[in-house]
């Protein structure tokens, strides 16, 4: 796989840390990497000491490949670390969340408010008979009560399984049954683009076939009519407010299960990923503080992810709260009531630190610069991205249009399985290159190997692997240890196989190339989807692109491209040739798409990732694979009909 991955798209632009930023940055040079490298276990132990432990660990790491235990013998409670210790230290009045409802209502919750609400929910769960180790499913929208529900579970040692509020009844049912959850916490509905998502109705459909659920706690938010089953369902407002606002924390072992979270299902059936307590919180807190250069007294931090994804778990809830962050929490979509909603929120709360996904950035690019231009974004000092490779042109657009050419952009590579960020710049220390996630964080061992598992030198490309255990690593797949071994630990001996392709340049910078399953083989050359897509997005007419390899008699695979144009650009035939030539110029004739289809939408998962496997099915005119994790099934049908209507271009 390494032959052509090297020397494809060249990105030469560099952005050193701005002088202003460096003045106050937590990390300003590379010495932290050397220090961590000298003793990586000791490095993580030092980070773990930033948390409050009721009993310190006996052993930093026990590693019986592929099973790791971190901070063995240590005891702590995550909810205590996220709430009580800040209140006890005199920060009870500090805002934990500025919450912005989609219809325009808002609330500010202090650390004391959040602690008290968490205790009331924890007491409610205890009154339902929830005990340490019982699983609690959470199916809610983006409201502060969701955070309290999560922390309440952590407080009493009941592992939570948060299911994204956009998932169907079937997905919810499967996840509840897989986890054998005892209680479900949900709401009547959630606001989304001005309409109500009827959470309770959907939950009721799932609950018809979830025998493990004994009680359902229902938050009233949207005030739509819902059915309440006597003896099982209780309203939040009838139960929670009457509970005591204090609740003793359950002392948890470092390796006790904190939560289950199912992966987003971009490549196949979701897996119930297991995360435990001490190591997870250690790496969440460390990465959140250092990657986002967090200054808790002055920063206003906003991660736009949904709390139902791992990004929401680690970088809305656990990392930020462990670090006593003031955050923004927003309920709705970026285009309600208009396409400037995010920027009006940035202006309103004077957001300093903004973390979003490439899919959102490319959407903002498509909508045009007029929306951010309506608002004062000068409070922003640092920006981040996560979820997919970011195309260099989208990075530069973000840097200029949102960041005003002042703010470093940290591109953070990680997965549900890794629990926390693994590859990212340290913004005060790292010279940035648009499209590169830069380097593994201090303490992390990442590398690139070829088909045979042999390390690939610089420059070079191949499979991304993790070479040593890390504190927030998954501890397994719920109920399926064999799948855990097979998926992650069997491809390369002794190494964690991430499933992503990557290359390193002469300076050792990591460039993520997309899923290994998506890599195309054209006339015997491996070509990365990310690089061809980035070449397309590099053209001023293009906002977003997805490419796939389709079976071809002469070349083995031929590249089929699906392209979304920027707002105001009309699709026309000449543009097809222009784009193909543009790719040929940037990468080489071999990477020229054979066909280009202009489209308004691309099939994406509910977390916004492009599902190339479905586009491949479309391009090859075959039955669509599993579509249950698709955000909008109509999109792929729409593309399908247009794909066959448009005559593919030939050489
Ligand atoms: P499934 O594993 O069920 O197919 P998924 O991999 O989409 O779903 P996540 O754990 O949410 O579920 O996504 C992790 C993946 O997202 C990574 O393996 C990688 O492919 C991609 N990714 C995340 N951040 C980045 C980034 N900064 N650069 C490149 N790719 C990224
Ligand atoms: Mg994955």
């Amino acid at each position: 796989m390494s032959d052509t991955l090297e020397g494809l798209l060249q990105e030469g632009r560099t952005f050193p840390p701005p002088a202003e930023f460096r003045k106050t940055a937590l990390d300003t040079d590379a010495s932290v990497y050397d220090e961590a490298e000298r003793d990586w276990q000791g490095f993580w132990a030092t980070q773990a000491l930033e948390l409050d432990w009721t009993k310190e660990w006996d052993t930093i790491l026990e590693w019986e490949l592929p099973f790791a235990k971190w901070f063995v013998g240590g005891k702590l409670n995550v909810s205590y670390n996220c709430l009580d210790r800040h209140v006890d230290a005199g920060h009870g009045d500090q805002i934990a969340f500025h919450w912005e409802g989609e219809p325009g209502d808002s609330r500010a919750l202090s650390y004391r408010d959040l602690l008290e609400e968490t205790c009331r929910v924890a007491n409610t769960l205890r009154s339902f008979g929830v005990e340490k180790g019982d699983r609690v499913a959470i199916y809610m929208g983006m409201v502060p009560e969701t955070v309290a529900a999560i922390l309440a579970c952590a407080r009493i040692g009941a592992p939570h399984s948060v299911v994204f509020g956009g998932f169907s009844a079937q997905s919810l049912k499967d996840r509840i049954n897989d986890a054998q959850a005892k209680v479900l916490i949900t709401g009547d509905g959630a606001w989304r683009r001005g309409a109500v998502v009827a959470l309770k109705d959907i939950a009721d459909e799932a609950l018809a076939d979830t025998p493990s659920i004994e009680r359902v706690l229902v938050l009233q938010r949207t005030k739509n009519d819902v059915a309440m089953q006597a003896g099982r369902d209780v309203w939040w407002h009838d139960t929670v407010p009457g509970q005591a606002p204090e609740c003793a924390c359950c002392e948890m072992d470092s390796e006790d299960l904190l939560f289950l979270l199912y992966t987003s299902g971009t490549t196949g059936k979701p897996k119930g990923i297991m995360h435990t307590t001490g190591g997870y919180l250690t790496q969440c807190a460390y990465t959140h503080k250092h990657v986002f250069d967090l200054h808790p007294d002055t920063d206003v931090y906003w991660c736009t992810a949904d709390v139902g994804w791992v990004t929401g778990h680690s970088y809305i809830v656990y990392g930020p709260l462990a670090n006593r962050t003031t955050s923004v929490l927003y309920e709705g979509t970026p285009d309600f009531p208009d396409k400037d909603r995010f920027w009006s929120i940035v202006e309103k709360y004077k957001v300093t630190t903004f973390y979003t996904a490439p899919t959102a950035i490319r959407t903002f690019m498509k909508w045009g610069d007029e929306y951010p231009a309506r608002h004062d974004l000068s409070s922003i000092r640092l920006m981040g991205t996560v979820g997919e490779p970011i195309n260099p042109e989208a990075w530069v657009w973000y840097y200029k249009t949102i960041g005003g050419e002042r703010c470093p952009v940290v591109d953070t590579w990680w997965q549900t399985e890794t629990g926390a960020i693994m590859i990212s710049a340290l913004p005060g220390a790292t010279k940035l290159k648009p499209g590169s996630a830069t380097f593994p964080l201090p303490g992390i061992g990442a590398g690139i190997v070829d088909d045979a598992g042999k390390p690939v030198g610089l420059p070079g490309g191949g499979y991304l692997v993790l070479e040593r255990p890390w504190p927030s690593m998954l501890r397994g797949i719920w109920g399926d240890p064999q799948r855990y071994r097979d998926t992650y630990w069997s491809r390369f001996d002794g190494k964690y196989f991430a499933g992503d392709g990557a290359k390193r340049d002469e300076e050792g910078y990591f460039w993520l190339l997309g899923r290994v399953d998506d890599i195309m083989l054209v006339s015997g050359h491996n070509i990365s989807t990310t690089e061809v897509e980035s070449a397309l997005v590099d053209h001023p007419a293009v906002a977003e692109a997805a490419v796939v390899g389709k079976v071809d008699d002469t070349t083995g695979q031929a590249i089929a491209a699906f392209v979304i144009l920027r707002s105001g650009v009309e699709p026309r035939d000449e543009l097809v040739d222009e784009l193909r030539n543009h790719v040929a110029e940037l990468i080489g004739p071999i990477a020229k798409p054979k066909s280009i289809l202009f489209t308004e939408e691309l099939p994406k998962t509910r977390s916004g990732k492009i599902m190339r496997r479905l586009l491949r099915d479309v391009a090859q005119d075959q039955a669509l694979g599993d579509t249950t994790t698709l955000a909008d099934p109509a999109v792929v049908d729409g593309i399908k009909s247009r794909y066959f209507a448009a005559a593919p271009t030939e050489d």
Side-chain angles (χ1 to χ4, degrees):
M1 164 164 160
S2 42
D3 59 344
T4 50
L5 288 175
E6 46 205 79
L8 289 181
L9 188 61
Q10 295 296 332
E11 172 56 53
R13 291 168 285 191
T14 58
F15 299 83
E20 269 311 299
F21 192 92
R22 276 180 76 103
K23 273 190 210 154
T24 56
L26 296 178
D27 303 286
T28 51
D29 63 45
S31 60
V32 55
Y33 293 96
D34 303 333
E35 198 192 306
E37 221 38 40
R38 273 194 294 275
D39 174 13
W40 56 274
Q41 294 191 25
F43 169 81
W44 287 118
T46 305
Q47 307 316 320
L49 286 173
E50 297 285 307
L51 304 177
D52 280 21
W53 299 75
T54 47
K55 177 183 174 293
E56 223 176 272
W57 55 90
D58 308 312
T59 313
I60 301 173
L61 171 67
E62 275 176 19
W63 178 224
E64 275 175 48
L65 197 132
F67 295 100
K69 289 184 181 161
W70 280 87
F71 309 119
V72 183
K75 308 273 183 198
L76 74 168
N77 181 280
V78 167
S79 160
Y80 178 85
N81 273 279
C82 290
L83 299 170
D84 306 59
R85 64 168 177 158
H86 306 315
V87 175
D88 293 349
H91 299 290
D93 293 330
Q94 182 179 334
I95 302 298
F97 288 104
H98 292 287
W99 176 72
E100 175 90 0
E102 195 189 75
D105 49 343
S106 61
R107 263 158 73 192
L109 278 93
S110 66
Y111 272 88
R112 184 174 300 103
D113 296 336
L114 190 58
L115 171 60
E116 292 182 356
E117 187 70 354
T118 297
C119 288
R120 290 189 195 98
V121 182
N123 288 324
T124 306
L125 292 174
R126 281 199 172 140
S127 78
F128 290 168
V130 175
E131 288 174 7
K132 187 179 172 198
D134 289 339
R135 275 82 59 210
V136 173
I138 300 178
Y139 181 64
M140 296 176 83
M142 289 284 284
V143 289
E145 288 83 356
T146 308
V147 179
I150 288 172
L151 293 169
C153 290
R155 199 166 187 90
I156 63 171
H160 53 77
S161 167
V162 181
V163 179
F164 169 55
F167 272 131
S168 64
Q170 178 72 41
S171 306
L172 176 61
K173 185 185 93 177
D174 291 346
R175 287 164 176 74
I176 288 175
N177 288 338
D178 190 71
Q180 288 291 292
K182 189 169 182 177
V183 166
L184 171 68
I185 308 180
T186 186
D188 53 353
W191 288 110
R192 195 173 164 76
R193 202 166 284 123
V196 170
V197 178
L199 293 176
K200 181 63 164 63
D201 291 354
I202 300 168
D204 282 339
E205 224 184 299
L207 288 164
D209 194 12
T210 54
S212 62
I213 295 284
E214 295 172 11
R215 304 301 292 267
V216 181
L217 181 63
V218 187
L219 178 79
Q220 189 174 50
R221 164 65 183 144
T222 45
K223 303 212 161 80
N224 45 312
D225 284 338
V226 299
M228 297 290 279
Q229 182 177 310
R232 187 194 66 186
D233 303 355
V234 264
W235 283 109
W236 182 293
H237 57 262
D238 287 341
T239 334
V240 176
Q243 299 287 336
E246 53 285 314
C247 168
C249 291
C250 177
E251 189 181 61
M252 301 288 282
D253 191 273
S254 178
E255 279 299 332
D256 278 337
L257 187 65
L258 179 63
F259 65 83
L260 295 177
L261 181 64
Y262 292 81
T263 56
S264 46
T266 309
T267 50
K269 182 175 175 277
K271 305 169 271 287
I273 301 299
M274 296 162 66
H275 282 291
T276 60
T277 300
Y280 171 78
L281 193 63
T282 296
Q283 196 175 331
C284 275
Y286 169 77
T287 52
H288 178 257
K289 183 167 170 187
H290 290 266
V291 170
F292 297 107
D293 188 50
L294 188 86
H295 295 264
D297 295 324
T298 49
D299 276 331
V300 179
Y301 162 90
W302 183 18
C303 166
T304 72
D306 192 280
V307 79
W309 309 123
V310 73
T311 307
H313 284 58
S314 302
Y315 298 106
I316 293 177
V317 181
Y318 290 120
L321 293 173
N323 290 329
R324 185 172 52 85
T325 306
T326 294
S327 295
V328 168
L329 184 68
Y330 170 54
E331 181 179 33
T333 61
D335 54 351
F336 188 85
D338 201 356
K339 297 188 174 76
D340 66 341
R341 185 64 184 271
F342 273 17
W343 318 124
S344 84
I345 293 173
V346 168
E347 182 171 19
K348 177 172 174 186
Y349 297 106
K350 301 202 165 43
V351 169
T352 60
T353 314
F354 182 74
Y355 190 29
T356 197
T359 182
I361 296 167
R362 292 184 305 248
T363 303
F364 302 142
M365 265 171 80
K366 176 176 84 169
W367 288 343
D369 296 4
E370 58 168 304
Y371 299 101
R374 288 182 193 166
H375 298 278
D376 178 5
L377 306 180
S378 62
S379 56
I380 300 179
R381 64 178 198 91
L382 172 62
M383 303 186 299
T385 80
V386 60
E388 288 179 290
I390 181 160
N391 320 108
E393 233 26 70
W395 191 103
V396 169
W397 181 90
Y398 191 37
Y399 177 79
K400 285 191 177 153
T401 315
I402 308 303
E405 302 187 51
R406 290 182 316 280
C407 313
V409 175
V410 287
D411 174 1
T412 62
W413 179 88
W414 59 295
Q415 309 177 300
T416 307
E417 294 89 339
T418 69
I421 299 171
M422 301 295 282
I423 304 180
S424 168
L426 290 173
T430 315
K431 178 181 76 179
L432 302 173
K433 300 185 182 184
S436 166
T438 74
F439 303 107
L441 287 175
I444 299 297
I448 295 177
V449 297
D450 65 15
D451 279 310
K454 214 169 110 270
V456 172
L458 303 186
Y463 301 91
L464 179 64
V465 292
L466 300 171
E467 295 166 331
R468 55 168 96 123
W470 62 100
S472 64
M473 67 189 278
L474 74 165
R475 299 305 196 259
I477 296 177
W478 180 253
D480 203 345
Q482 194 54 45
R483 190 172 177 204
Y484 171 64
R485 288 178 186 278
D486 293 348
T487 310
Y488 308 108
W489 299 97
S490 62
R491 182 75 176 80
F492 301 111
D493 199 29
K495 293 179 172 136
Y496 172 91
F497 171 51
D500 289 346
K503 69 174 182 184
R504 273 178 305 182
D505 64 18
E506 298 74 7
E507 292 182 293
Y509 278 71
F510 280 71
W511 300 77
L512 276 300
L513 297 173
R515 318 266 179 176
V516 170
D517 305 344
D518 288 337
I519 285 175
M520 302 170 294
L521 191 63
V522 182
S523 305
H525 298 276
N526 284 302
I527 298 182
S528 117
T529 51
T530 303
E531 292 191 293
V532 179
E533 288 161 6
S534 291
L536 287 162
V537 175
D538 183 77
H539 191 280
V542 178
E544 179 149 32
V547 302
V548 296
K550 82 181 247 197
V551 176
D552 187 272
D553 290 344
T554 42
T555 54
Q557 281 190 320
I559 300 176
F562 300 79
V563 167
I564 299 180
L565 296 173
R566 289 211 204 193
S567 142
V569 181
E570 287 304 317
R572 50 196 160 80
D573 285 347
E574 310 85 79
L575 201 49
V576 172
D577 286 329
E578 220 177 293
L579 292 179
R580 297 175 72 233
N581 291 333
H582 193 70
V583 174
E585 250 169 61
L586 288 183
I587 302 181
I590 182 115
K592 245 183 178 180
K594 184 158 184 188
S595 63
I596 293 182
L597 178 82
F598 297 117
T599 173
E600 292 283 319
E601 303 280 355
L602 290 167
K604 290 182 179 171
T605 60
R606 284 160 208 261
S607 58
K609 296 174 196 224
I610 300 170
M611 284 172 88
R612 289 177 192 75
R613 65 181 170 82
L614 294 182
L615 288 174
R616 209 177 304 129
D617 294 341
V618 168
Q620 292 179 171
D621 193 20
Q622 62 197 27
L624 295 180
D626 182 17
T627 56
T628 50
T629 53
L630 198 59
D632 178 2
V635 166
V636 56
D637 294 334
I639 293 176
K640 204 165 176 149
S641 54
R642 261 168 298 155
Y643 190 75
F644 294 107
T649 47
E650 299 290 338
D651 255 325

